[in-house]
Amino acid sequence: MREIPEDLFEIRGKRLGSRLFLGTGKYGDDALIPDVCAASGAEVITVALRRVDPDAHTGNVMDHIPRTMRLLPNTSGARTANEAVRIARLARAMGCGDWIKIEVIADNNYLLPDGYATVRATETLAAEGFVVLPYVNADLYVARDLVSAGAAAVMPLGAPIGTNRGLQTREMIRILIEEIDLPIIVDAGLGLPSHACEAMEMGADAVLVNTAIATANDPVTMARAFGEAVRAGRLGFLAGPGAQRMRADASSPLTGFLGGDGA
Amino acid sequence: MHVIINGKPEDISLGTTIQKLIEAKKLDPSRVVAELNRKIVPGDQFQETKLQEDDRLELLQFVGGG
């Protein structure tokens, strides 16, 4: 088999072997998380930060995250840039590294990220040495501002969080892939392995999937399916797809036909 | 002594440290991050940090999220 040239994927010099990032929300049973990690091949996983609730006797999600995974805490719950910065600093104080996924969301119906506030939070946190991965709308101007602000990647949404509606923003994501010289990690809305595969075929650098895996009937098998879809999509991109055309173009030779009746 | 912990008023005894509070809530201190009056308290200072009257303390931990 022909070897594909080495396919490096790095975020701020940290080399990653998988282009699938996982979330840890919405699992019916957090004890599935280790098997989900193993089945998906993912190496990066997100968590959120919340007030402790001693009365809630749910275990700690950290009990289920394999130590080999790189933690990507998010700033969910932040409605302003300052709140995101505050959450990011607290998350780093937990001692699990300096990666942070910035989410600044002040919209309750669609959970759409506030690009302006996200850029401000990115600027502050990048200057403090954080590796900042901001969750944003697939918007070229916001993405350019994030580059200037020192982001380590850009995470455009495919569709609103938790909707499983797939790559609704594909044309805008295509533009980000073309124009932005940072890893593009499609986050949110990817509901099926085929959605993730499509993003990777387009040239996205990675995808983040939570709801689609966590709420599947069989999360472990779905994790494997997403892992394979991401690899397949990446290979498809690297292989260089052939051109599309409207009219048929025969794959079999158009000469040397067997003679017809009476020939 | 009156303090606010995670937005709720609580009465605790004078001289209570962050470490004692976390242990009293049956939490693992290595998995809790603390913010006292808007300043982060590093985990290695939980033992020595005593709460004062009217302090506002936030205790947070990682939870599932995407």
Side-chain angles (χ1 to χ4, degrees), chain A residues 24-34 58-62 64-65, chain B residues 64:
Chain A
T24 53
K26 300 183 185 169
Y27 281 92
D29 180 359
D30 284 351
L32 288 167
I33 291 173
T58 55
N60 190 308
V61 71
M62 298 303 288
H64 304 289
I65 299 178

Side-chain angles (χ1 to χ4, degrees), chain A residues 23-25 46-52 63 74 86 89-90 94 101 103 210, chain B residues 6-7 25 27 31-33 35 38 40 58-66:
Chain A
T24 53
T46 60
V47 290
L49 193 68
R50 290 290 182 276
R51 283 172 164 171
V52 301
D63 290 337
N74 67 37
R86 183 182 177 197
R89 289 171 179 159
L90 283 162
M94 200 73 99
K101 175 182 153 185
E103 287 181 40
N210 184 358
Chain B
N6 287 352
K25 292 180 187 298
L27 297 164
R31 287 186 170 165
V32 174
V33 64
E35 190 196 61
R38 288 291 187 127
I40 293 170
E58 294 284 346
L59 297 175
L60 303 110
Q61 65 184 357
F62 284 138
V63 299

Side-chain angles (χ1 to χ4, degrees), chain A residues 223-243:
Chain A
R224 182 177 154 203
F226 267 96
E228 293 186 4
V230 166
R231 282 191 290 277
R234 179 67 185 172
L235 284 176
F237 169 74
L238 291 175

Side-chain angles (χ1 to χ4, degrees), chain B residues 44-61:
Chain B
D44 60 6
Q45 291 174 23
F46 286 176
Q47 296 268 16
E48 65 209 53
T49 307
K50 290 177 181 170
L51 266 65
Q52 313 287 330
E53 181 78 28
D54 292 330
D55 271 351
R56 300 182 78 94
L57 180 71
E58 294 284 346
L59 297 175
L60 303 110
Q61 65 184 357

